[in-house]
Amino acid sequence: MSPALSRRDVLRGTGALILAFGVPHSASALTETGASATPLRGLPGSLDSTPRLNAWIRIEADGNATIFTGKAELGQGIKTALLQIAAEELKLPLPRITLITADTARTPNEGYTAASHSVQDSGTAIRNAAAQVREILIGEAARRVGRSTDGLKAWDGVITGPDNLSFGYGELVSAQLLNVDAQPTSILTDPKNFAVMDRPVARVDIPPKLTGGAAYVQDMRLPGMVHGRIVRPPSYGARLIDLDAAPVEAMPGVLKVVRDGAFIGVVAEKQWTAIQAMRRLAASARWNESAALPDEAQLPEALMALPTKDTTILDVGTPDAASYDVDALFSRPYLSHGSIGPSCAIAHMDGEDLTVWTHTQGVYPLRDALATLCAMPRGKVRCIHVEGAGCYGQNGADDVGADAALLARALPGRPVRVQWMREQEHAWEPFGPGMAAHVRASLGPDGSISAWQHDVWSQSHMMRPGPPGTLLAARDIANPFLPAPPVDLPMPEGGGDRNAVPLYVLPNARAVNHFLPQMPLRGSSMRSLGGYLNVFAIESTMDDLARLSGQDPVAFRLRHLRDERASAVITLAAERFGWNGRPTLSAGSGYGFAFARYKNLEAYCAIALELAIDQDTGRTVVQRAIAAVDTGQVVNPDGVRNQIEGGIVQATSWTLFEGVRFDRQRITSVDWASYPILRFAHVPRRVEVHLVERPGLPFLGAGEAAQGPMGAAIANAIRDITGTRLRALPLDAAKVRAASKVRPASMGSSLPPRSPS
């Protein structure tokens, strides 16, 4: 609960450097991370928006270092990776470095921790800043003795040189030494001399998670803390008609019932009392419901019938054909984040200052939204990131932060902890949007692709704060904020159209993004955004075209690629899997292969897998998945493998099990029974991740690289086994069992290729 770090706090201790920030971050609502799409200064990574070196690195009087990042640990392992990067370039042992993550009072503004940009943006900034700080310290040592920097080197926190020159880092620092802007270029450590990077280092965030320690904001307990709960409407747009709060206000242990328009909350001394009070308030509330949700069974058709804003994102040659060899509609349902811990926040109104501990992915954008919501100056609101129990995009973290802020404002002086109930999380979080993609493609006489068209329909994948109207509470209060306008994230990273442009070389191709300004269900960012469905559609079609032309699926892909790094991961995955020598399997088992470069800008990932279907139940199990990945310079090999393994497991769950359920008025999948996810019995039996070494090349985000290829590889394996192409996600047991019945049970894996259904 300490206030923002003051200048005096930073200066305490002889020789410590001043923590001062550079120019304010210029956030843009048109990018997923909030970073400006246009470079401001031409500096590496996030140094471009925050150029002062002392905004990133502080050398303490004892020679230790503190590193500041605006990115947050979400379970992706960036704390460890960023520490490795800083240790490598500062030439300091890891135990002598402290890392401070997203905090509006202490760290740079790096927008949202999203889009697999953490190492790419913040890691690049810290690496260059650390290298420049190292060289500044070497220069200061040379200046102290009146000689050149020739022969001076930094190691283990000490500058040494000829004639027994030796200065500890703490001896060299002064108040202004690092209060300078970064330079465009840095003397970076040659990869062949790495001592910390490109080596496995145990994740610093894992021990409390494995041992049941206090790892998440859900675990936080502050002195004097009380508990809040919120009553949410039963459906989108429901209007509160009547509420009898008096019996709840008289309950023992209830401190306050807060009502502001249709925003209803209760604060109690004990958590269980707050839950009971919330239940009684919910039972006494009467609502007028008006929601008109689409027909879930006809979701793709409903989405495609909505008004659109169309953008042609690829147009080469003459892709129109009289007929197509493949003409298919692919779709995905709305997806829940499925976080294990329902969203939680703690807020404390202390005098005129509001502090919020939150698992938001963007402390600065949330700070701005809360300041507007609470009519407070930005400088009086502080948001501190604390990891949440499950984060795969924008779940209810920001909303519950607003809930806690409003309750804390109503009960100043005591920290108020608010946690959503499971049914609130499943009904009210912003879902990964439902989507449809129509792909048409033709083969030429030589067996190559002669025409390709890809049309994709999707609502916004970016409805995060800062506009306060993105927050549920802001829309429910008596003087509500208007819903934020839908954001169509532009290419090259894209939103719903992410990865809709194939990486393959196609002489005649068109891709059109049909952006839906209307949002039938609440949606926003979820891992890989539209990339999951678009890769699923493209790689399914590539598989069908290969079969139609009698070509091996791997060779067919390689034939249409000119990107050497793409070919390398495909070749490596195929080799490690034993693709060319794969045996014919028994009935109910088969193979699948898929590839993508995430966003066509970041990590390359190819996956080969073997899958088995229980033909009685339709249940599928991935027997083994072999992935190859090129993520540029690797910081922590184990960390990259963790990300790809996690993506493989998550995509298996999305592909085989998940889909938000709703009727024409309400969300109905409000628990784990109605929203099934992957259980241990169906986790892939064996997963291998092989890394392509690219020493010295720029970091490429790997966090969301596996989801698209894994979903498509599963679909291609099911096609291989059943002979039927399934295109409407999820490929659940009922669909797979129906597909299995189409084909004689005696038929096993397809060799040679066959025609698609």
Side-chain angles (χ1 to χ4, degrees), residues 550-568:
Q551 299 177 71
D552 177 82
V554 170
F556 187 74
R557 286 170 171 82
L558 291 172
R559 176 180 182 176
H560 288 87
L561 283 169
R562 298 290 182 273
D563 186 325
E564 180 274 331
R565 296 175 73 172
S567 298

Side-chain angles (χ1 to χ4, degrees), residues 160-523:
T160 58
D163 302 325
N164 296 319
L165 182 149
S166 178
F167 288 104
Y169 288 0
E171 300 175 72
L172 295 170
V173 295
S174 64
Q176 296 299 317
L177 188 64
L178 301 187
N179 189 23
V180 296
D181 281 354
Q183 298 302 305
T185 59
S186 310
I187 302 174
L188 300 175
T189 301
D190 190 312
K192 69 175 182 287
N193 296 322
F194 280 164
V196 187
M197 285 174 57
D198 202 17
R199 284 163 170 71
V201 170
R203 294 259 300 268
V204 298
D205 61 310
I206 293 296
K209 296 173 182 174
L210 288 179
T211 60
Y216 304 112
V217 68
Q218 286 90 347
D219 302 319
M220 282 186 66
R221 298 293 184 271
L222 299 179
M225 189 177 78
V226 294
H227 297 269
R229 283 294 189 275
I230 305 298
V231 176
R232 294 251 99 91
S235 58
Y236 296 151
R239 296 179 58 196
L240 181 64
I241 300 172
D242 186 41
L243 175 72
D244 181 8
V248 173
E249 290 172 329
M251 287 175 61
V254 169
L255 298 174
K256 196 175 188 66
V257 172
V258 179
R259 178 178 175 182
D260 183 350
F263 176 80
I264 306 167
V266 60
V267 185
E269 289 282 359
K270 302 294 184 183
Q271 184 168 201
W272 181 237
T273 306
I275 292 172
Q276 290 179 306
M278 177 202 67
R279 298 287 190 212
R280 292 185 65 173
L281 279 172
S284 72
R286 293 193 301 120
W287 302 86
N288 181 14
E289 298 184 66
S290 58
L293 303 182
D295 181 357
E296 181 195 326
Q298 303 293 323
L299 181 61
E301 293 78 9
L303 295 175
M304 295 167 69
L306 290 172
T308 63
K309 176 186 172 185
D310 296 344
T311 304
T312 300
I313 54 177
L314 172 69
D315 195 4
V316 295
T318 54
D320 297 309
S323 62
Y324 298 90
D325 294 303
V326 174
D327 187 338
L329 180 65
F330 299 83
S331 65
R332 63 171 250 187
Y334 286 86
L335 293 172
S336 171
H337 294 265
S339 301
I340 294 299
S343 293
C344 179
I346 301 174
H348 185 207
M349 192 77 198
D350 185 10
E352 296 180 350
D353 297 311
L354 175 66
T355 301
V356 181
W357 290 265
T358 167
H359 56 113
T360 178
Q361 291 181 261
V363 289
Y364 278 92
L366 179 62
R367 186 275 311 266
D368 295 349
L370 295 182
T372 305
L373 173 64
C374 297
M376 296 176 63
R378 289 181 181 178
K380 293 295 183 180
V381 180
R382 177 183 181 186
C383 288
I384 304 171
H385 182 269
V386 183
E387 196 172 350
C391 179
Y392 316 108
Q394 187 192 351
N395 57 13
D398 298 292
D399 295 301
V400 77
D403 295 341
L406 291 178
L407 296 191
R409 189 181 61 172
L411 193 72
R414 299 189 70 176
V416 179
R417 176 185 184 273
V418 179
Q419 183 166 337
W420 280 9
M421 307 301 289
R422 171 57 56 194
E423 65 269 21
Q424 293 174 334
E425 187 79 33
H426 276 218
W428 283 100
E429 66 165 33
F431 301 122
M435 295 175 58
H438 183 198
V439 178
R440 291 165 288 174
S442 292
L443 292 162
D446 63 349
S448 64
I449 299 171
S450 59
W452 183 284
Q453 295 209 40
H454 186 124
D455 293 78
V456 57
W457 288 260
S458 177
Q459 66 187 64
S460 175
H461 290 250
M462 177 67 175
M463 298 303 296
R464 298 178 184 272
T470 55
L471 302 169
L472 290 174
R475 302 183 209 171
D476 289 339
I477 58 178
N479 294 310
F481 291 86
L482 292 174
V487 175
D488 184 13
L489 290 166
M491 295 296 263
E493 295 199 359
D497 55 349
R498 180 167 292 179
N499 277 108
V501 175
L503 197 64
Y504 301 106
V505 177
L506 304 172
N508 305 295
R510 181 182 299 130
V512 179
N513 174 27
H514 303 279
F515 177 69
L516 308 177
Q518 295 181 24
M519 293 178 281
L521 273 66
R522 189 182 188 220

